[in-house]
Amino acid sequence: MPNSDAVEPLLSSIAKAERHIASEYGTQMVGVMDTIGAHPHFAMPLQPGKVAVLSGRPDIDAMYKASVDLAAPQASRLLSQLATDWFVFIENVPTRLWIESGELLTVQTVTMFVTDDANGITGEYAWQRCYPPQDSAATGDVPLPERQLDLLERHQALLDAIGAGDARALEALLEPACTWAQRDYLASTAGGKITDLRSAREAGAYIARWHTEMQPEHVTIINRRVTDWFVFSEELWVVRPGGGEHRQCRIAMIYPVSQNGLFEGALGFGRDIEAPSPSAGTRMGLSFWPQGVTPDPENRAGYPEG
């Protein structure tokens, strides 16, 4: 396959995301729905601390119309970007003008746009940072990313709990009032359905049901980014729905992290379940080498100086 054929789906994905972003600037949101596909799902904080989970064009159109009286986007500064053939993930430092107060507010956000519809995006999942960076507790001339290493372990523990259907282990990693908004593979709906779970207990109960029905065998990490306030990962789950043939679910998720180091939620979506890729039977994208060996902050095992 020519390299241009491999690149074109990525360019198309970026074009749909950027067309949507551009439609929000200086437009009073007129025309923004022209950049959105047939079966959209959104999960985002419309105001600080208030996460909205929306499905369908009517609800999302109403959200955009109402937003005109709240805030007006002024600028975006994209610190990082990851593009695939079906989503674009960005870290942003945007500035908004809050209408009532007249205040210009610049914040730090992450956003994932799902771009799997020819007519535009079908999802937008976002989170805003609400606390300052953590002070490093590392010793030595070059501080190690202690919090990121801890969150990498916690993310792996989260995936392990999901893979085992262990509701109690999952709940221990979540803030009690977390938001769990991901594609619901237990429902059969055109364009997919999104969960809207608002507690660790609800998330744990859902994952237990998901595990019983989907019977996951392993997960491969395709892409992952760990920072001190969120983890982003694209995951390929190999499952056996109802105990039948092997299938795969390809999902992309934002896992925001609280100041206490617990996950405040899981926001994202996934492709339609499909036959497994030829190499999907092998678990890949491991976090720690040798497999299963994680850094130990007490004795420094696994660290360069350990």
Side-chain angles (χ1 to χ4, degrees):
M1 179 175 65
N3 189 57
S4 59
D5 291 346
V7 172
E8 184 58 29
L10 307 183
L11 297 178
S12 176
S13 187
I14 295 170
K16 282 179 273 191
E18 292 191 345
R19 179 171 170 251
H20 176 71
I21 293 170
S23 74
E24 298 184 354
Y25 282 89
T27 65
Q28 293 284 296
M29 301 301 167
V30 175
V32 69
M33 293 304 297
D34 295 337
T35 70
I36 297 174
H39 301 287
H41 306 283
F42 282 33
M44 61 177 64
L46 299 184
Q47 297 183 45
K50 295 182 179 180
V51 179
V53 178
L54 305 168
S55 290
R57 289 179 60 87
D59 285 353
I60 291 169
D61 184 34
M63 179 270 292
Y64 275 114
K65 288 176 178 175
S67 73
V68 172
D69 295 325
L70 293 175
Q74 300 295 299
S76 283
R77 307 158 188 90
L78 306 191
L79 297 178
S80 65
Q81 172 179 297
L82 173 64
T84 74
D85 59 333
W86 72 281
F87 71 82
V88 175
F89 169 81
I90 60 172
E91 290 181 78
N92 191 10
V93 182
T95 298
R96 302 183 186 96
L97 172 65
W98 289 91
I99 304 302
E100 184 175 353
S101 66
E103 178 185 14
L104 284 170
L105 185 63
T106 300
V107 296
Q108 193 172 354
T109 64
V110 288
T111 305
M112 182 182 75
F113 302 101
V114 179
T115 57
D116 59 356
D117 188 295
N119 296 316
I121 69 167
T122 56
E124 183 171 346
Y125 302 85
W127 199 268
Q128 178 177 315
R129 182 170 194 155
C130 296
Y131 57 88
Q134 301 291 294
D135 291 332
S136 173
T139 60
D141 295 333
V142 180
L144 295 172
E146 301 281 3
R147 182 167 166 92
Q148 284 95 319
L149 287 169
D150 177 64
L151 295 182
L152 177 60
E153 273 197 84
R154 287 173 181 256
H155 182 242
Q156 190 58 55
L158 183 94
L159 297 178
D160 291 344
I162 294 172
D166 190 336
R168 181 172 296 182
L170 179 68
E171 291 172 31
L173 294 163
L174 303 176
E175 286 287 352
C178 69
T179 299
W180 197 278
Q182 70 166 100
R183 180 163 187 171
D184 185 0
Y185 284 103
L186 302 183
S188 179
T189 306
K193 183 180 178 181
I194 187 172
T195 64
D196 185 2
L197 308 175
R198 299 292 179 152
S199 72
R201 181 166 294 184
E202 287 184 352
Y206 172 79
I207 289 300
R209 295 196 306 273
W210 178 85
H211 182 271
T212 298
E213 172 58 30
M214 301 300 287
Q215 298 187 26
E217 295 202 345
H218 66 258
V219 59
T220 280
I221 299 299
I222 299 176
N223 291 294
R224 174 159 44 192
R225 174 159 169 73
V226 180
T227 73
D228 65 338
W229 69 283
F230 74 87
V231 177
F232 172 80
S233 63
E234 183 182 8
E235 306 156 15
L236 186 71
W237 287 87
V238 175
V239 297
R240 295 181 60 212
E245 296 182 350
H246 287 95
R247 309 286 283 173
Q248 69 183 25
C249 303
R250 186 179 174 192
I251 69 174
M253 303 293 296
I254 297 169
Y255 300 97
V257 180
S258 71
Q259 197 163 8
N260 296 326
L262 297 175
F263 292 104
E264 295 182 278
L267 291 77
F269 209 63
R271 308 298 301 271
D272 290 345
I273 194 168
E274 60 187 1
S277 302
S279 299
T282 300
R283 181 181 175 223
M284 292 180 274
L286 303 178
S287 302
F288 304 106
W289 296 84
Q291 184 175 349
V293 176
T294 60
D296 182 349
E298 297 299 324
N299 61 24
R300 317 303 292 176
Y303 283 75
E305 72 273 20

